[in-house]
Every structure is written in C-alpha cells, then in structure tokens.
Amino acid sequence: PWSSCRKRLLLCLYLSCFGSIQTSVSCPSGWTLINSRCFLYVPTDMTWANAEKNCLSMGANLASVHNMNEYRRVQNLISAAGHGHLLNSVLQEKTWFWSDGSPMTYTNWCLKQPDNKAGHQNCLQMNYSGKENCWDDVECHIRRPSVCAKKG
C-alpha cells in the first residue's frame, strides 16, 4: 500500500511541477521563428492578391513588421534567400494596414514615399532602393516575391 501511495504522490508531484511547463514556440519545417511568429520567404513572383491568397492557404498572411528589429530580421531572411524587393501591405482610402489586421505602427518609407504615383499605388514593396532597403508604394499588379507570417 505504501509503495502504491508513494508512486501516486511522485506522479502528482511530477505532474504539478512539469505538467504546466509551456512548450516553446515552434514553426513548421522551412519557416523561421521571429518574435514568436513563423515567417516563410516565398520566392515566386506574384501580385499582392495572389501572394496573400498563397499565404492564406498556409494559415498565414503576408508578413507584418512592427519594429526595426523585426524588420531587420525579416530582411535577413530575404537576404539569406538571395532576393530583394517583396510585396506586403495594402492601402485603402489613404490608410495603410497589414493584411493580418494589425496596426501599422512602424514604417520605413523611402524619402518622399508613399507618393501614390498616378493614383494607383496601393501596395507596399519592402527592400526598395538598394542599400537603404526602405519601403515604396507600388501598383498591386506588380509581381514580387513575398513573406508569409503566422502565429507560432
């Protein structure tokens, strides 16, 4: 009886100590963990709508970035793949927003951007302008690689 009771006690202690430990955030194979979200570089040139549709098919959205550190890490992901510009957010009624619904609190626009040239530049491309790697507004039918992001 004592042996059985001791085993149950040890099991209870084990469960109370270790059962509540949260598992660390993990990403599917091929995705990169950045700030508790999983990011995937998609090298295929697509329009904004097709890129977002592709991300949605993987349970993600086109990547949003919320601070300079996060943007630099996403840039590193793109650089590691050996590519440059990519499509990201969208403009509606003069308000920029991320497709995942998060607010656009951080921006890295190039000088004199966004300019909405010809009144049709409603999408954003990142890593524009060579070494500056700033943001530029472009027409949404432009085809670029993209980065998807989802919660880890």
Side-chain angles (χ1 to χ4, degrees), residues 25-151:
V25 177
S26 63
C27 295
S29 178
W31 293 70
T32 301
L33 182 65
I34 301 173
N35 293 345
S36 75
R37 290 188 297 153
C38 301
F39 290 76
L40 176 70
Y41 178 78
V42 180
T44 307
D45 287 342
M46 291 183 263
T47 64
W48 183 92
N50 287 338
E52 175 67 8
K53 186 177 173 182
N54 181 57
C55 291
L56 288 170
S57 75
M58 295 182 278
N61 288 96
L62 282 169
S64 58
V65 291
H66 303 287
N67 57 57
M68 184 186 302
N69 179 48
E70 191 170 71
Y71 181 48
R72 296 289 180 239
R73 293 185 66 193
V74 170
Q75 284 180 309
N76 290 339
L77 177 68
I78 297 161
S79 295
H83 291 280
H85 312 322
L86 67 134
L87 288 173
N88 229 322
S89 83
V90 69
L91 171 72
Q92 181 177 6
E93 297 176 12
K94 299 185 181 182
T95 301
W96 288 93
F97 63 92
W98 299 113
S99 62
D100 65 8
S102 62
M104 187 177 275
T105 54
Y106 168 78
T107 62
N108 190 35
W109 292 109
C110 298
L111 185 63
K112 299 183 181 181
Q113 296 298 331
D115 63 358
N116 197 22
K117 189 175 181 180
H120 300 290
Q121 294 184 321
N122 297 327
C123 285
L124 177 153
Q125 66 177 338
M126 294 182 172
N127 281 6
Y128 184 75
S129 185
K131 65 181 180 180
E132 292 177 56
N133 290 326
C134 50
W135 301 358
D136 178 39
D137 55 339
V138 295
E139 295 180 17
C140 295
H141 66 82
I142 299 294
R143 296 175 180 271
R144 296 275 188 268
S146 56
V147 173
C148 299
K150 63 183 176 178
K151 292 180 182 176

